[in-house]
Amino acid sequence: MKPAGVEGYGVSCDHKAGARVALDATGAARTGVRHPDTAGGDPAGGDPGTSPPDNLPRTLVVLFALACGSAVANVYFAQPLLVTMGRDLAMSPALVGAVVTLTQVGYGVGLLLLVPLGDVVARRRLVVTQLLLLVVALIAVATARTAPVLLAGMAATGLLAVVAQTLVAFAASLAGPARRGGVVGVVTSGIVVGILLARTASGLLADLVGWRSVYLASALVTVLLALILHRTLPRPAHAPTRLSYGQLVRSTLTLFATEPLLRLRALLGLLIFAAFSALWSSVALPLSEAPYTLSHTAIGAFGLVGAVGALAATAAGRLNDRGLSRWTSGIGLALLTASWLPLAFTRDSLWALAVGVVVLDLAVQAVHVTNQTLVHELRPDAGSRLIAGYMLFYSIGSATGALAATSLYAVAGWGAVCALGAGISGAALLLWAAATARTSRATADTDASATPLRTRDGRKAR
């Protein structure tokens, strides 16, 4: 149970020991051993309407990752295609810019309004329905002949692409607590790889057969995934949580008032993705200028380099399963801050850029996986709402980092962008360190007050 006077404790369950284990504000078990249980079984019944935990084959985990990467890639396909799309539909520069903006806005709205539905609707049906509606939106984009139709289609695409976050919560609820971190790590890696490779894939396909083919191909892949998931996802086994839709949406926000760990991890998510976005939204600018003047395809290839770091960070999930989330967070944030040193030498060496990209993506992925694993464990019955609330901060961080980096580059150049990224990363490290120190002091005080006073002869004081 939550110790009196100690701030920042969540609760997870250890069924093997039959006891409740407190999680501190950094996510580590207060005992210093581990936070999840080791025997399987979710006290809240896991997903509202799924098979019991620990019934998640490796092949299904990989399928979750593929579906997540495919869904979220739709949000980023347009970025290298904007000029071509604008020319094809005779759009003004302002309308062309609105393509990306509306997609991101749609994604943010979906996080708040659609992802929480996973706590009241059987997730299997929700996932398949969203994927089929996403197909409709993608076809609308691919066949658009006017700017309004294109913009509406892009907004709908962003709105429905949040099925990726529904899948994350679904996978976490199906995995037994002893392996939940590893599962979340694999599935989340699919999302990061999808983000990193989306621009490269769309650019190559558009060069070959036109920009519309990108969305038609994605629609075909999405249909196939919907059919496969319909056949392979577990069928409902329990009744969903009984909440009205209004209560559901409100509780997504009010969870921040009741869960200190969610607030901390959401703030860390905002900062790490502001740093991530600061790099990836602006790195094309120095690479397209002298002395490199790289093509769009060559610049996009650095997404492949970043994917190496993202995939390597799946180990973070397994470390979380061993109760090492505090170390994973601290080391990840330290690496994130350090990654900006080689990145600062981008104009002098592409090798320095490659090293910085791998380290940064590894660090961001490690902390992100840790965040999502710990957040879901707070209340598995509210897993979708917790993930949705956390990802709202992710979206804010991504948008803020991109805007700040591109604006700063225009004024002060690449060095200023690296200073910004290092500052944001350092702020995240300091926030984590302060929370760790505060929780450690509170735990020590609580343990001391719980120790009975003794006289000199060793008897308990009255």
Side-chain angles (χ1 to χ4, degrees), residues 8 14 64 174 183 207 211 252 266 304 351 353 376 386 388 401 417:
D14 190 333
F64 270 108
L174 290 173
V183 169
D207 287 341
W211 71 267
T252 302
L304 299 173
W351 285 108
L353 172 61
H376 186 276
L386 289 165
V417 171

Side-chain angles (χ1 to χ4, degrees), residues 213-353:
S213 67
V214 175
Y215 293 94
L216 288 174
S218 183
L220 177 60
V221 170
T222 304
V223 167
L224 293 175
L225 285 171
L227 294 175
I228 295 171
L229 290 171
H230 177 71
R231 294 179 61 86
T232 57
L233 291 179
R235 293 181 178 275
H238 303 288
T241 302
R242 300 300 180 186
L243 287 175
S244 69
Y245 184 69
Q247 291 173 325
L248 185 74
V249 174
R250 286 195 299 272
S251 67
T252 302
L253 301 177
T254 56
L255 281 168
F256 284 95
T258 59
E259 300 292 351
L261 188 145
L262 175 60
R263 294 196 297 269
L264 172 64
R265 290 290 162 172
L267 286 173
L268 289 176
L270 185 153
L271 291 170
I272 64 172
F273 279 100
F276 179 86
S277 186
L279 170 66
W280 287 107
S281 64
S282 61
V283 70
L285 300 174
L287 293 180
S288 62
E289 300 172 353
Y292 301 120
T293 58
L294 298 181
S295 66
H296 292 299
T297 301
I299 293 172
F302 277 94
L304 299 173
V305 177
V308 173
L311 290 172
T314 56
R318 294 190 291 272
L319 291 174
N320 290 326
D321 291 334
R322 295 169 57 189
L324 300 175
S325 56
R326 178 178 292 183
W327 286 100
T328 305
S329 299
I331 293 173
L333 292 169
L335 287 174
L336 178 61
T337 305
S339 69
W340 290 97
L341 179 59
L343 288 172
F345 292 93
T346 293
R347 288 191 178 278
D348 301 313
S349 170
L350 290 179
W351 285 108
L353 172 61

Side-chain angles (χ1 to χ4, degrees), residues 393-449:
F393 278 68
Y394 151 92
S395 295
I396 294 170
S398 295
T400 303
L403 179 62
T406 52
S407 300
L408 193 58
Y409 184 87
V411 175
W414 179 248
V417 171
C418 291
L420 172 68
I424 294 171
S425 305
L429 179 59
L430 290 175
L431 174 63
W432 171 84
T436 301
R438 183 173 63 252
T439 303
S440 297
R441 287 196 301 269
T443 302
D445 292 344
T446 302
D447 291 343
S449 64

Side-chain angles (χ1 to χ4, degrees), residues 329-397:
S329 299
I331 293 173
L333 292 169
L335 287 174
L336 178 61
T337 305
S339 69
W340 290 97
L341 179 59
L343 288 172
F345 292 93
T346 293
R347 288 191 178 278
D348 301 313
S349 170
L350 290 179
W351 285 108
L353 172 61
V355 170
V357 162
V358 170
V359 174
L360 182 139
D361 282 4
L362 168 64
V364 168
Q365 177 73 339
V367 179
H368 182 45
V369 168
T370 302
N371 288 347
Q372 290 194 306
T373 303
L374 294 176
V375 162
H376 186 276
E377 286 174 357
L378 285 172
R379 283 184 52 188
D381 64 304
S384 290
R385 281 167 284 164
L386 289 165
I387 294 295
Y390 167 77
M391 290 301 296
L392 281 172
F393 278 68
Y394 151 92
S395 295
I396 294 170

